[in-house]
């Protein structure tokens, strides 16, 4: 694995972790009633946060890294 690929993998992992934590914090701030109105329960927070983290596009991070390293 090349250094660029490792860097992309690390950046992607950090971006996904950041998205997971942000989504988790936002959902945990809701009351049980508010979550219920959205059709969720507290037990769903992990799955929803994971889905949000999985939606972080790796291609966008790769393009950004190429731009940064080109400068």
């Amino acid at each position: 694995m090349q250094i660029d690929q490792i860097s992309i993998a690390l950046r992607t992992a950090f971006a996904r972790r950041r998205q997971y934590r942000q989504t988790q914090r936002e959902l945990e701030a809701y009351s049980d009633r508010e979550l219920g109105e959205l059709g969720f329960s507290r037990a769903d927070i992990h799955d929803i946060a994971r889905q949000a983290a999985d939606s972080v596009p790796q291609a966008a991070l790769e393009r950004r890294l190429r731009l940064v390293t080109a400068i």
Side-chain angles (χ1 to χ4, degrees), residues 15-32:
R16 288 184 174 160
R17 181 66 180 168
R18 223 177 5 259
Q19 182 64 48
Y20 176 89
R21 297 287 296 155
Q22 177 183 349
T23 304
Q24 183 184 36
R25 277 192 305 270
E26 289 175 7
L27 290 174
E28 286 177 348
Y30 285 109
S31 68
D32 289 338

Side-chain angles (χ1 to χ4, degrees), residues 3-70:
I3 297 295
D4 289 344
Q5 293 172 327
I6 294 170
S7 179
I8 290 168
L10 285 173
R11 287 175 184 262
T12 301
F14 285 128
R16 288 184 174 160
R17 181 66 180 168
R18 223 177 5 259
Q19 182 64 48
Y20 176 89
R21 297 287 296 155
Q22 177 183 349
T23 304
Q24 183 184 36
R25 277 192 305 270
E26 289 175 7
L27 290 174
E28 286 177 348
Y30 285 109
S31 68
D32 289 338
R33 181 179 177 175
E34 291 169 324
L35 285 172
E37 289 174 359
L38 293 172
F40 306 124
S41 70
R42 293 225 172 261
D44 297 324
I45 291 176
H46 168 74
D47 292 332
I48 295 167
R50 187 175 36 81
Q51 289 173 0
D54 289 345
S55 71
V56 172
Q58 183 169 350
L61 293 169
E62 289 174 7
R63 283 192 301 274
R64 186 170 147 211
L65 179 63
R66 278 190 231 118
L67 287 173
V68 170
T69 57

